[in-house]
Amino acid sequence: MKKKIIFFLIISIIVAYFGRVEKEILDELEIATSAGFDYKGDQKVEATAVFPRINPDKTITNETLSTTANLSKEALREINQKSHKPIENGKLEVAVYNEKLARHGIEDFIDTFHRDPSIGSRLILAVVDGSSKKILEKSYGEFDTGTYLQKLLEHNMAHGIIPTSNFHLFLSAFYARGMDPILPLLELNGNNINIKGLALFKGPKMVMELTEEKLFTFKSLYEELRLAGVKLKTKENNETEYFSIQAINSKKKFKITNVYTDPEINIHLKVTGSIREYSGENVDATTIKKAEKLLKKKISKESAEMIKRFQKKRIDPLGLGEQVRSRTRHWDEKKWEEQYKNAKINVKVEVIITEIGVVDGLS
Amino acid sequence: MKWFRKGSKQEDLSLYNLIQHFTKSGDFIHFHNPQSPKPYWISYYGSLVDAEIVHRDILPYLQDPNISGYEDFQSAVPIEKVEITSDLETIQKKMLAGSVLIQFSENDNKGALVRAEMNKAREVSIPEEEFSVVGPKESFVESLTTNLNLIRKRLPIPQLAIREFTVGTLSQTRVAVLFIEEIANEENINTVLQRIGDLKYHQILDSSYIAQMISDNENSPFPQLIDTERPDRVAGVLAEGSIVILVDGSPHALIGPTTLVKFFAALEDYFINWQLASALRVIRLFSVSFSILVTPVYVAVLTYHYELIPRDLMATLVSSRSLIPLPPFLEAVILELTIELLREAGARLPTKVGQTIGIVGGIVIGTASVEAGLTSNVLLIIVALAALASFTTPVYKMGNSIRLIRFPFLLLAELWGLIGIALAFAFLMGHLLRLTSFGRPYMEPIYPPRLEDLKDAFIRLPFKMQPKRPIELQSPDTIMFSGKKAQEMNDIDE
């Protein structure tokens, strides 16, 4: 018994002493919520870290530190030298890159995040038109910029028209065969952050930009819409009419024929929504027909145009190659890339207006 | 009895000498009445004997002129058993238990022993530790006879067996082992009887002495026998096949074999409907794990894993901690110790002062230490909640164990964070899995997994769904009642 106790004590002392883990006490850290990277000439990057300074009276002030370096981890070390508490990146919510850097390729930055165990895969990535430092240094309301950006993007992804995107989805699109990644594109507009559109990547490099107006169509093709909204405009008898269609849900189905020879992709899109506002006189059965027609026309026109542009740039943000691959045995990537250029891609849209509000005006 | 044995060597063994020895004690009464028709000597311990019985039932018959000897007296006295004996040891034992010795001659070597013991016991009162709003409100008292009465009343069957032992060389405590024949497992009965028979100790003041001495693992912080003050609970477990130990002078009965989950079952669970009872049990189990884990998790997360803190909580935590000079571990230990101190002070003080201590400690110290910047208010809430949660255990002794095992968790959380907590949990599980109660597994029905027993473990299913006795108790008679519905009767009107 005595031997056992002594043995146990010795073991526990050894383990406790040599098995120590580095302590990271919460209130002795600066916890970065956002990081921004700006292109500064050849192989040089200006990194900006945002961390909320939580004051004892529970208010939050937005603090930023930036430095220019060659590598992002080196930048972190240099920023640490400027800070009075160690900066930790374990709660990074948003990482932004400016457009110049994105066009140059963000492979290195993705890779270091990928290998860092303290970076979560729900980190949101975004591209900024202009300087990311400027966007991050500004404070918006009661939050620090990282939190603000994350909240802004997240609710727009859940119920808005921004396609869902985070680090995990970016990586899967990046490494998947037959798919190219996308990221939301932001811009600073006065005192607000605006969603400018979508940055489309070919591998690690941004090659194309999609404007905000096209996002509705893009998102319905890319994934499923959930309670989104869209504005329709029509000119009839020299009178412009506006529709506001809300609560739009969409579903898509792929049908691919001739997968082995010359794939023809048919996307069947089903969109349901309700009319919330109409600038014309009454909402009645004809209005519904009109709205359905308009929305159908808008989506089919925009999607055809969009896909043509994608084919021209040889990018595949919609993951059509992935759809083909999943239906093909011994799929050949090179062969597909050749085929994709001229592949026939049809979008068939079906629009149903399910309701017009609480009061049923139809008679 | 030592003096007796010692004395027997030197002095010659006679009743006269024994009584002479007794008279040295101040409360021993020994007097001679030469005026009565038949002169007699009467001797007894005044402190053990009910004077009423002596005056009413013994003395009038001694004055009776018809009585000429012990046999006449024996048949005349209206007391169930008058023993005429010359066995010194019996005489001594009986007199020390409250019998009166009658002799018709001082030098007689025999005498008549009449039972006249005083029964001064507390009134049967309301249970305090295991109080329930609904259900019976009787609790055990310090008298074994009363306690047995309370149980027999609830189980009026001849199969209820009581085996009595006398334990304690000095205290001569009566210990009763209760079980129902043909329902309790033979092996369990023998284990209990053997362990109690083997007990060697000088003094048994309470049933918890027995509980500690016959436990399977005496070094475990976990109680391996349930102690209860409710006769209804005892009757309930006897019917299931458990074995109950009652100790004279103790208002707590011991129940075994038992399992860990049974410590979290209150008797009230059986008095309310099963959905509510199940919900309450789940809440109780949750609050126990909360009580053990919450402070260690706080320490681990704040010291090592800041990533785990939700963003919206971060501001609250950081701002509450920003002025605290102590690391989370010391802060937590100090607060935990303060709570333990308050609890201990409250338990040792009389009720009325105890309440004041609670208010002073809880409100004044708590608020003041937060304002002084010694503890963070988040931790104060956590520690107070953990303390409160540990009180939800229906068995008091289990609550104490839970108080204790929080500290090793805290230490390991400080050393290795959440990995340390996982390690402590692994140790705890290992220990619990090894524990047995009278040789039956303590972690049943989790391990060994027994689906049948889960019906009355974490949740309590309706009575009609549990027609079988718990497998844990290995009862030879497994069926408690027929699970079939009673034949439906037609309404009288029809």
Side-chain angles (χ1 to χ4, degrees), chain B residues 36-261:
Chain B
S36 87
K38 171 107 178 144
Y40 61 88
W41 280 260
I42 183 163
S43 27
Y44 57 90
Y45 278 96
S47 52
L48 289 175
V49 163
D50 191 348
E52 185 103 346
I53 299 175
V54 176
H55 293 156
R56 192 186 59 211
D57 299 332
I58 301 174
L59 294 182
Y61 297 95
L62 286 169
Q63 308 282 359
D64 195 335
N66 295 334
I67 287 181
S68 57
Y70 293 115
E71 280 75 22
D72 290 345
F73 176 71
Q74 188 179 25
S75 53
V77 172
I79 291 174
E80 76 273 17
K81 197 184 170 197
V82 177
E83 203 178 342
I84 300 161
T85 179
S86 56
D87 180 25
L88 287 183
E89 205 159 327
T90 317
I91 291 173
Q92 183 195 335
K93 207 171 160 185
K94 291 256 161 145
M95 285 181 80
L96 281 167
S99 287
V100 175
L101 180 74
I102 310 285
Q103 284 175 296
F104 294 111
S105 147
E106 200 175 8
N107 292 321
D108 230 349
N109 238 343
K110 64 176 182 180
L113 284 166
V114 189
R115 283 186 57 187
E117 72 262 23
M118 184 158 46
N119 267 323
K120 271 268 157 66
R122 193 159 54 93
E123 283 280 303
V124 174
S125 58
I126 296 172
E128 280 173 10
E129 288 160 30
E130 291 170 84
F131 182 78
S132 69
V133 181
V134 268
K137 291 193 177 46
E138 277 180 329
S139 79
F140 286 131
V141 292
E142 282 77 5
S143 154
L144 180 62
T145 324
T146 317
N147 293 350
L148 288 176
N149 166 267
L150 289 174
I151 296 168
R152 272 248 187 250
K153 265 200 304 195
R154 286 174 169 81
L155 288 167
I157 44 163
Q159 286 94 326
L160 176 63
I162 300 175
R163 300 267 186 281
E164 266 204 46
F165 292 84
T166 306
V167 184
T169 48
L170 288 181
S171 64
Q172 296 287 323
T173 312
R174 283 164 69 204
V175 175
V177 177
L178 280 77
F179 53 90
I180 300 181
E181 282 165 356
E182 283 149 35
I183 288 180
N185 180 282
E186 199 70 29
E187 206 178 314
N188 291 347
I189 298 170
N190 290 339
T191 315
V192 180
L193 294 182
Q194 192 189 343
R195 284 192 193 169
I196 291 182
D198 287 349
L199 277 183
K200 288 208 167 42
Y201 202 66
H202 63 289
Q203 200 177 32
I204 304 291
L205 294 181
D206 186 61
S207 60
S208 37
Y209 278 56
I210 306 269
Q212 289 172 57
M213 285 187 269
I214 65 171
S215 286
D216 295 36
N217 183 349
E218 289 168 33
N219 299 322
S220 171
F222 290 94
Q224 288 139 61
L225 299 172
I226 295 181
D227 59 333
T228 178
E229 53 173 359
R230 299 187 63 121
D232 40 356
R233 184 170 199 159
V234 165
V237 296
L238 278 174
E240 280 186 345
S242 289
I243 296 160
V244 172
I245 301 163
L246 281 169
V247 176
D248 195 19
S250 166
H252 285 107
L254 301 172
I255 302 168
T258 185
T259 58
L260 183 69
V261 284

Side-chain angles (χ1 to χ4, degrees), chain A residues 2-15:
Chain A
K2 217 174 179 183
K3 255 188 193 167
K4 246 188 194 172
I5 290 171
I6 292 170
F7 182 73
F8 183 74
L9 273 179
I10 291 173
I11 290 286
S12 50
I13 287 169
I14 290 173
V15 172

Side-chain angles (χ1 to χ4, degrees), chain B residues 370-399:
Chain B
V370 168
E371 269 175 23
L374 289 175
T375 49
S376 65
N377 38 21
V378 176
L379 184 65
L380 190 71
I381 295 167
I382 285 176
V383 170
L385 269 181
L388 207 61
S390 74
F391 285 122
T392 54
T393 44
V395 181
Y396 178 71
K397 281 184 181 163
M398 195 43 135

Side-chain angles (χ1 to χ4, degrees), chain A residues 15-16 19 21-27 29 31 54-56 58 60 88-91 93 118 147 150-151, chain B residues 302-304 306-312 314-319 321-324 327-328 414-416 427:
Chain A
V15 172
V21 190
E22 196 65 39
K23 271 185 193 161
E24 292 168 331
I25 296 177
L26 176 71
D27 46 324
L29 304 172
I31 293 157
I54 298 159
N55 306 313
K58 286 189 185 171
I60 296 169
E88 291 292 336
N89 61 2
K91 280 210 83 73
E93 307 265 8
S118 58
T147 310
Q150 194 258 353
K151 285 190 180 212
Chain B
L302 258 71
T303 324
Y304 292 104
Y306 68 91
E307 296 100 331
L308 288 178
I309 304 168
R311 186 188 56 211
D312 300 329
M314 193 99 92
T316 319
L317 279 176
V318 173
S319 62
R321 265 199 57 81
S322 59
L323 296 174
I324 314 296
E414 160 69 5
L415 277 177
W416 297 306
F427 267 113

Side-chain angles (χ1 to χ4, degrees), chain A residues 286-339:
Chain A
T286 47
T287 329
I288 291 175
K289 281 268 153 56
K290 208 153 71 181
E292 281 178 352
K293 221 171 150 189
L294 272 174
L295 190 56
K296 187 176 170 179
K297 202 175 140 198
K298 176 184 158 80
I299 294 174
S300 12
K301 196 182 141 203
E302 281 181 5
S303 53
E305 211 173 279
M306 201 185 291
I307 289 167
K308 219 158 248 158
R309 279 177 71 196
F310 293 159
Q311 281 173 314
K312 218 170 163 188
K313 288 264 181 191
R314 299 209 184 175
I315 54 171
D316 187 6
L318 297 173
L320 299 173
E322 173 91 356
Q323 292 295 334
V324 175
R325 187 188 63 79
S326 68
R327 287 165 172 80
T328 322
R329 210 175 274 274
H330 309 300
W331 184 70
D332 185 0
E333 199 176 355
K334 287 217 176 90
K335 191 178 151 202
W336 162 250
E337 267 169 27
E338 283 306 307
Q339 286 171 337

